[in-house]
Amino acid sequence: MAATFLRSAAKKYAQSGHARDADARTARVRRTLSPQARFSPYLDALIAKNLVDVAYNAWLQFLPPTELETVSRITHPNFEREPSGLAFDWRVHPGVNAIVEFVPIEKGHAIYFNLGEGRIQFPDVKQFVFFSSGSYRIEGKLRGHITGKRGLRWQMRCAHGTQRVIGETEQMVGRSEQWRNFAFSFDVPPTDECKGQMLRLYHDARSPSEEFVSGEVWFAELRLTRLDVPPSPAEATKNTAPPGQGANASTVGWTSTITHTR
């Protein structure tokens, strides 16, 4: 279903003036520059001008055919590949006294954080996404332990203008040796500043004194659900399936809860 949407979107963009201009620039980039080293600033420049649709279409053109067929609305939601660093894939910002890795787990993969004792600078993880206006819910799993005055948050915000927050989890602190589910809901408004969005995971420290945090945590199996559109039969079955082995349907042992920001 995602692949069908993407092919339709690509066809629509191909018929637009923006897309023709972007295609010409993309062709020049292909001929002269390394995609990994030089394509990223090109996408970032388009996003900075709020040409998120053009940037997304250009990014799709650079995907190998096999990856284009399986790409989802959140790229690599199972953390199964090392991030490319491009705008519509995971980006990991360098941290201090903290380690982040994409690692295998019992079934699948996860993103893993090891936070050293003392003051840290958390290695923020983010990904630009391109959702149409509407209501959504993101779910995932976590396990581990985090100790500190402030916890971690998953957050969705608009990608342009004031980059206002449209949804986030509460702070995630505590301990759980079992996999626990977390979730948050958000509304993408039909505004210019929210043509694109940014999904991020960060440490919610408001001052240097709140940067003292320790522990380790794994996050896995992110899943996006559109709330204001009836799911297909296949999606309905998937979305009502019980949690995976070792997963608990609540976040007992953590302070993470659903937060819906309007």
Side-chain angles (χ1 to χ4, degrees), residues 10-252:
K11 182 178 179 181
K12 190 178 298 183
Y13 292 137
Q15 298 170 348
S16 70
H18 272 319
R20 286 191 292 272
D21 292 341
D23 289 346
R25 290 192 294 270
T26 300
R28 290 196 293 272
V29 171
R30 282 185 184 274
R31 289 195 299 268
T32 61
L33 302 175
S34 163
Q36 291 296 106
R38 305 295 178 86
F39 191 48
S40 185
Y42 167 64
L43 292 180
D44 291 345
L46 291 174
I47 292 172
K49 295 178 181 179
N50 205 24
L51 298 174
V52 182
D53 51 347
V54 178
Y56 192 70
N57 183 52
W59 174 73
L60 289 176
Q61 294 182 53
F62 270 77
L63 292 179
T66 53
E67 191 166 348
L68 182 60
E69 287 298 317
T70 59
V71 71
S72 58
R73 306 301 296 276
I74 299 175
T75 304
H76 302 144
N78 297 313
F79 309 105
E80 69 277 14
R81 295 192 182 188
E82 289 293 323
S84 67
L86 297 179
F88 297 100
D89 194 357
W90 295 113
R91 281 179 167 174
V92 180
H93 289 256
V96 176
N97 197 23
I99 296 171
V100 56
E101 296 179 295
F102 286 59
V103 299
I105 54 175
E106 310 85 44
K107 291 186 177 181
H109 294 78
I111 186 170
Y112 166 72
F113 297 87
N114 188 306
L115 311 179
E117 297 289 337
R119 185 178 172 186
I120 71 160
Q121 290 182 15
F122 187 78
D124 286 12
V125 176
K126 69 179 183 180
Q127 179 181 140
F128 284 101
V129 293
F130 183 43
F131 301 159
S132 58
S133 60
S135 298
Y136 299 85
R137 176 183 173 92
I138 289 177
E139 301 170 84
K141 299 197 308 183
L142 80 161
R143 75 175 184 193
H145 60 94
I146 296 292
T147 302
K149 290 183 178 180
R150 307 285 290 182
L152 308 183
R153 289 185 193 267
W154 282 97
Q155 181 186 84
M156 186 68 75
R157 61 196 311 161
C158 298
H160 198 65
T162 61
Q163 296 189 344
R164 71 184 182 94
V165 176
I166 54 176
E168 62 183 359
T169 64
E170 293 189 1
Q171 295 177 57
M172 299 179 180
V173 292
R175 173 183 294 270
S176 177
E177 302 303 325
Q178 302 291 325
W179 285 105
R180 301 283 180 176
N181 291 346
F182 70 91
F184 70 103
S185 301
F186 57 95
D187 291 335
V188 175
T191 60
D192 193 57
E193 71 168 0
C194 228
K195 284 171 60 177
Q197 307 82 36
M198 182 173 65
L199 173 64
R200 65 188 290 239
L201 172 66
Y202 71 106
H203 178 225
D204 191 25
R206 301 166 299 182
S207 65
S209 65
E210 293 179 343
E211 291 179 343
F212 288 84
V213 63
S214 62
E216 61 179 352
V217 62
W218 291 257
F219 292 95
E221 297 183 16
L222 296 187
R223 185 173 66 194
L224 176 74
T225 303
R226 181 77 183 257
L227 298 179
D228 53 351
V229 174
S232 67
E235 289 176 325
T237 301
K238 180 179 179 181
N239 289 341
T240 56
Q245 183 176 1
N248 191 303
S250 69
T251 51
V252 176

